[in-house]
Amino acid sequence: MKTLEEVQDIHMESAKVYVDELFEKVQQRNPNEAEFHQAVKEVFESLIPVLAKNPEYIEQSVLDRMVEPERMIIFRVPWVDDQGKTQVNRGFRVQFNSAIGPYKGGLRFHPSVNGSIVKFLGFEQIFKNSLTGQPIGGGKGGSDFDPKGKSDVEIMRFCQSFMAELSKHIGPYTDVPAGDIGVGAREIGYLFGEYKKIRGTFEAGVLTGKAIGYGGSLGRKEATGYGTVYFVDEMLKAQKESFDGSTVVVSGSGNVSIYAMEKATQLGAKVVACSDSSGYIYDENGIDIDLVKQLKEVESKRIHEYVETHPEAVFVANHADIWSVACDIALPCATQNEIDKEAAEQLVANGVKAVGEGANMPSTLDAIDVFLKNNVLFAPAKAANAGGVAVSALEMAQNSARLSWTFEEVDVKLQNIMRDIYQNSMEASVEYGAPGNLVVGANIAGFTKVADAMVSQGVI
Ligand code: NAP
């Protein structure tokens, strides 16, 4: 007769074998997709105790189904540049999982976009969207189109061609895209206009991140950056710490970065550095956020222009070096894998206390190990940057009800959602034997809701 402990050990061992074999299969079926493998590996490792405790998930192949997108659309995007030459880009939309709601996730326009990037983002989105507590499934899309250096009219022509195909696959009850890197309110406007023209109806809920005048939500622009800071603030408060008086470094200077800097500053922190892909600026007096907004949101300029107004600040022409700047709190808000093992070790050596991921998968698996082993408070992207998609779901709710909430109403809802995500992730980490490990906690809390919905809905 086996003891309870021996039975639990056997279940853990068989869950581990199952996960290892499935991960091998994922690698074989999706060759050359390093980013997708990385995102899957992180989730799989967290789920072993859940699968051991709930063998029906293995029996019903829930995870096998979850790593296979329900649908992936790849399409040609031809458009005519200002010289009259026809250009061709590739468009993607991955509709990963619709167990708890219509597919939801942003569109990224960046030359690095490929199938692996879109799949890693779409896979992460399943768990993130579940964590928000809103009824939204996981999806993501984009194109290898590079908006840098393009005229406004070229951007419009590209967006119209992209939507000519995408419109066949989306809708307020099927798939609701939003922005991401390279896609802001301007691009969403062109995409929405083309969708409306093709369909002949005004379906506000088909896209989120719209401008306020035609169905956008107050607070959506700020949501991801503010949400990341709210989440980190919860993490700090649990340790009787706060942003007040701390030194903060934020990578990037786009949508997420700007509003993370703004909220951290409002909470009493001094943000001393931010970046773009050309390098970073260091301002020991604290970054002038209004100037960054002017340079980036209004004038589309490079970050080095900052030092022309603030000659006391320094520009360093290497964006990766931003992690050598000493800080109490690091908020990576630019792109995937921007913090590797060496950068993480440097941050730890400089005394970093907390890291909050505003970008998607900005830390490599090795970097996360360094943070966790050194007891750095670590807020993983799925949980920490879920505020953007959460407010997108609030935008959908307002569109359905044909009403508009005030900024304050949205902001309070956002704060409550981020607090709930923190608490649910923390509770899951405790329940499954990894107290305080929010990577494990967020993955588990996001997974179980989707897994249970898939089981309820049968094999589809
Ligand atoms: P964004 O407004 O386009 O800004 C991106 C920023 O990151 C820019 O400063 C950009 O610099 C920099 N960057 C991009 N690729 C880079 C690279 N390969 N190396 C160095 N720097 C790079 O985009 P965003 O919306 O803020 O998104 C930033 C991150 O947050 C992404 O990981 C995105 O998936 C994630 N996220 C966004 C939202 C949202 O609501 N927007 C929600 C959840 C997660 P350059 O201008 O020089 O390229």
Side-chain angles (χ1 to χ4, degrees), residues 366-444:
D366 287 347
I368 296 174
D369 264 357
V370 171
F371 294 137
L372 296 181
K373 282 191 181 125
N374 287 281
N375 298 319
V376 174
L377 299 173
F378 182 72
K382 275 184 208 82
N385 73 25
V389 76
V391 173
S392 274
L394 300 181
E395 182 174 332
M396 290 163 72
Q398 292 170 80
N399 293 154
S400 297
R402 294 174 185 272
L403 48 79
S404 304
W405 294 326
T406 64
F407 180 89
E408 288 69 29
E409 283 174 293
V410 174
D411 193 38
V412 167
K413 288 182 201 298
L414 172 64
Q415 288 180 50
N416 291 337
I417 290 169
M418 298 317 293
R419 191 174 310 125
D420 286 349
I421 296 176
Y422 171 77
Q423 277 164 3
N424 293 339
S425 303
M426 186 53 94
E427 279 164 21
S429 77
V430 173
E431 185 184 341
Y432 286 95
N437 182 332
L438 294 170
V439 177
V440 169
N443 284 335
I444 293 177

Side-chain angles (χ1 to χ4, degrees), residues 139-162:
K140 197 82 190 189
S143 174
D144 57 1
F145 173 73
D146 187 358
K148 282 204 193 82
K150 302 292 188 298
S151 71
D152 200 54
V153 175
E154 286 177 321
I155 302 268
M156 182 182 74
R157 283 191 219 112
F158 174 81
C159 289
Q160 290 175 340
S161 178
F162 186 84

Side-chain angles (χ1 to χ4, degrees), residues 108 110 121 128 140 148 179-183 220 224 252-257 275-278 296 302 319 333-336 358-360 385 388:
R108 177 178 291 191
H110 192 272
L121 290 163
K128 181 188 309 190
K140 197 82 190 189
K148 282 204 193 82
D180 190 80
I181 292 177
V183 178
R220 173 60 187 93
T224 311
S253 49
N255 173 259
V256 180
S257 319
S275 61
D276 64 16
S277 56
S278 67
K296 290 292 179 179
R302 309 306 292 157
H319 66 82
C333 294
T335 192
Q336 64 275 357
N360 282 311
N385 73 25

Side-chain angles (χ1 to χ4, degrees), residues 4-158:
L4 183 62
E5 227 164 73
E6 284 168 340
V7 174
Q8 282 171 342
D9 284 349
I10 292 169
H11 283 161
M12 281 293 270
E13 195 42 44
S14 56
K16 198 176 167 333
V17 170
Y18 163 73
V19 155
D20 286 347
E21 286 175 2
L22 184 56
F23 184 60
E24 191 109 327
K25 206 151 92 182
V26 169
Q27 287 176 296
Q28 279 165 13
R29 296 183 89 179
N30 304 277
N32 309 315
E33 296 192 351
E35 294 84 0
F36 180 53
H37 301 164
Q38 182 183 339
V40 169
K41 192 171 170 45
E42 187 216 277
V43 170
F44 274 17
E45 283 175 1
S46 302
L47 294 182
I48 292 169
V50 188
L51 298 169
K53 204 168 164 183
N54 304 278
E56 69 274 15
Y57 292 148
I58 299 181
E59 282 150 26
Q60 302 210 20
S61 302
V62 169
L63 212 48
D64 303 58
R65 287 188 271 156
M66 230 183 241
V67 287
E68 193 64 28
E70 289 177 20
R71 194 173 298 102
M72 181 141 178
I73 303 131
I74 303 178
F75 51 100
R76 181 173 69 197
V77 190
W79 56 281
V80 179
D81 69 18
D82 286 347
Q83 284 68 49
K85 186 170 174 354
T86 299
Q87 303 284 347
V88 180
N89 285 97
R90 187 171 285 176
F92 299 88
R93 186 71 185 167
V94 60
Q95 299 181 332
F96 230 116
N97 193 299
S98 62
I100 62 168
Y103 311 106
K104 180 94 198 80
L107 298 170
R108 177 178 291 191
F109 292 169
H110 192 272
S112 63
V113 167
N114 57 34
S116 173
I117 300 276
V118 171
K119 276 163 71 182
F120 111 68
L121 290 163
F123 183 68
E124 297 251 299
Q125 199 82 42
I126 302 170
F127 307 95
K128 181 188 309 190
N129 292 4
S130 163
L131 280 170
T132 66
Q134 310 282 320
I136 40 179
K140 197 82 190 189
S143 174
D144 57 1
F145 173 73
D146 187 358
K148 282 204 193 82
K150 302 292 188 298
S151 71
D152 200 54
V153 175
E154 286 177 321
I155 302 268
M156 182 182 74
R157 283 191 219 112
F158 174 81

